[in-house]
Amino acid sequence: SQQGEEDPQALSIQEGENATMNCSYKTSINNLQWYRQNSGRGLVHLILIRSNEREKHSGRLRVTLDTSKKSSSLLITASRAADTASYFCATAPYGNNRLAFGKGNQVVVIP
Amino acid sequence: DGGITQSPKYLFRKEGQNVTLSCEQNLNHDAMYWYRQDPGQGLRLIYYSQIVNDFQKGDIAEGYSVSREKKESFPLTVTSAQKNPTAFYLCASSILGPRNTEAFFGQGTRLTVV
């Protein structure tokens, strides 16, 4: 069953703007991960945040996790045309490695 | 180079045929996974394996079969029992441990029924 579920939206922004997308889940998790997928390609891991962490940064990426609300957000700052892709959150339960993916957010960055 | 390789990139299947999708990794990962991706539905888990000669069904295993005879290989067979096989199939691998880690994905196989 799907646990991670992003706000199902397509986001279109101008280069240089920030892009924010959200993810909600339903059960307890060990960690939450964000992945990126370029059209017709495999997924690439972006960032992992553990259940005892509230915020994490990696380059232009900022991820927050609110376990009380069972939600996470991914912020991409100063977007670039190369950031155009679909972004997926995935939740990992305790005890196994079965990642559950959401439906993804499509982001288009206009040069 | 270390990585995970899926082949072929495109595959066409006639009605009633079985087809096998290849997935090979040289990352020395114990765990391997198969996902199906349809437009607007994200990724759904078909099968996963945590050790050689052992695998478990995911959420949509009906009409699919797998084997794990070698640590490096996890082929997926789409059988004639799968009524709607047209989709994008993704293989992934990860290490196992008490603290879950990231999954590494192949580039996918696009299967089309003709």
Side-chain angles (χ1 to χ4, degrees):
Chain A
S1 61
Q2 295 283 345
Q3 287 198 34
E5 292 200 14
E6 300 87 351
D7 284 352
Q9 61 182 353
L11 188 61
S12 183
I13 57 174
Q14 294 289 330
E15 201 166 31
E17 294 181 338
N18 296 341
T20 300
M21 56 209 89
N22 300 303
C23 167
S24 61
Y25 57 93
K26 297 174 182 171
T27 62
S28 296
I29 61 170
N30 183 334
N31 65 68
L32 185 144
Q33 304 176 28
W34 285 91
Y35 289 79
R36 165 198 169 119
Q37 183 182 36
N38 288 79
S39 181
R41 307 295 296 272
L43 277 70
V44 175
H45 182 264
L46 294 175
I47 194 166
L48 179 153
I49 185 165
R50 302 197 185 280
S51 58
N52 61 351
E53 297 176 313
R54 293 296 168 258
E55 186 171 315
K56 201 162 185 181
H57 296 255
S58 177
R60 295 184 294 111
L61 304 179
R62 172 179 171 256
V63 170
T64 62
L65 179 64
D66 187 335
T67 53
S68 66
K69 295 181 179 178
K70 292 186 167 57
S71 67
S72 173
S73 68
L74 171 67
L75 167 68
I76 305 173
T77 60
S79 63
R80 304 167 182 169
D83 294 328
T84 294
S86 293
Y87 293 83
F88 294 86
C89 74
T91 52
Y94 287 99
N96 67 66
N97 287 57
R98 284 187 58 163
L99 289 175
F101 285 84
K103 295 182 179 181
N105 260 316
Q106 186 174 4
V107 175
V108 175
V109 181
I110 302 167
Chain B
D1 288 359
I4 183 164
T5 302
Q6 289 185 243
S7 62
K9 188 172 182 179
Y10 299 97
L11 187 57
F12 298 90
R13 190 192 94 168
K14 293 182 179 179
E15 295 278 355
Q17 276 186 338
N18 293 354
V19 290
T20 298
L21 284 60
S22 171
C23 179
E24 303 276 334
Q25 54 98 359
N26 61 3
L27 300 167
N28 200 33
H29 287 169
D30 288 304
M32 296 187 74
Y33 316 82
W34 274 104
Y35 290 91
R36 171 179 170 142
Q37 186 176 27
D38 295 280
Q41 293 199 42
L43 276 69
R44 292 182 289 169
L45 183 65
I46 305 172
Y47 269 98
Y48 67 103
S49 169
Q50 296 184 333
I51 195 171
V52 173
N53 293 324
D54 187 45
F55 45 83
Q56 290 78 41
K57 293 181 179 180
D59 301 313
I60 56 165
E62 186 175 352
Y64 300 97
S65 66
V66 293
S67 63
R68 188 87 185 274
E69 297 178 0
K70 299 186 301 181
K71 187 176 184 178
E72 301 79 16
S73 178
F74 191 40
L76 173 74
T77 297
V78 184
T79 74
S80 57
Q82 172 49 239
K83 297 306 178 188
N84 184 23
T86 295
F88 190 50
Y89 291 87
L90 288 159
C91 181
S93 69
S94 70
I95 65 172
L96 285 177
R99 308 186 77 187
N100 306 80
T101 60
E102 68 186 272
F104 290 78
F105 281 82
Q107 291 304 301
T109 293
R110 188 166 298 279
L111 174 63
T112 303
V113 174
V114 296

